[in-house]
Amino acid sequence: MLSEEIEVRTGGRETVRDITGECTRFVDGAGDGLLHVFVPHATAGVAIIETGAGSDDDLLAALRELLPADDRWSHRHGSAGHGRDHVLPALVAPSMSVPVIGGRMALGTWQSVCLVDTNADNPTRKVRLSLIPG
């Protein structure tokens, strides 16, 4: 298995950050296999979605509606409403797998691999990329 940890700057606000380029670079020329993407954080996840056409903003809007940043959460350390960030990985999983064929991810035309982070308290994230060769 090949494995590498990358650092992703998300800034001090909630974001959907496209990491397809980093994933593409990691699997480039690797032949066939399975790319596993894992976020080792309790308040972030990864998703395959379309970006740049509003879907990323729509996802954040839906998460704001579903997980409001208010005082309803039992988990209360960090910024106001931070408890919602700890619920996020139950809805946006912290890992995913993507088939790799001929050294390229087998994504659909409009699909991108994205880090989803609603936690403004942590502006830098780690993402573990692992390739299991076929």
Side-chain angles (χ1 to χ4, degrees):
M1 180 175 79
L2 305 171
S3 190
E4 174 183 307
E5 188 175 71
I6 62 171
E7 187 173 278
V8 179
R9 298 229 10 105
T10 57
R13 60 182 177 78
E14 61 185 19
T15 190
V16 174
R17 170 75 156 51
D18 188 341
I19 59 170
T20 307
E22 291 91 332
C23 294
T24 298
R25 199 166 30 260
F26 178 71
V27 303
D28 185 40
D32 295 346
L34 191 61
L35 171 66
H36 188 259
V37 181
F38 175 69
V39 181
H41 298 282
T43 58
V46 289
I48 295 178
I49 63 167
E50 178 182 8
T51 59
S55 298
D56 36 358
D57 293 331
D58 290 341
L59 174 58
L60 290 174
L63 289 171
R64 271 185 234 113
E65 194 170 313
L66 190 60
L67 303 171
D70 58 23
D71 65 356
R72 73 183 65 201
W73 308 102
S74 298
H75 189 103
R76 294 183 183 267
H77 78 83
S79 60
H82 177 65
R84 78 176 186 137
D85 301 325
H86 287 274
V87 176
L88 174 77
L91 302 173
V92 180
S95 68
M96 70 169 54
S97 295
V98 180
V100 176
I101 310 296
R104 298 183 61 172
M105 289 185 292
L107 293 172
T109 302
W110 304 112
Q111 290 182 316
S112 296
V113 178
C114 296
L115 172 66
V116 180
D117 188 0
T118 58
N119 182 1
D121 293 341
N122 293 329
T124 304
R125 297 301 189 150
K126 304 282 187 199
V127 179
R128 169 70 57 188
L129 306 176
S130 300
L131 181 68
I132 302 168

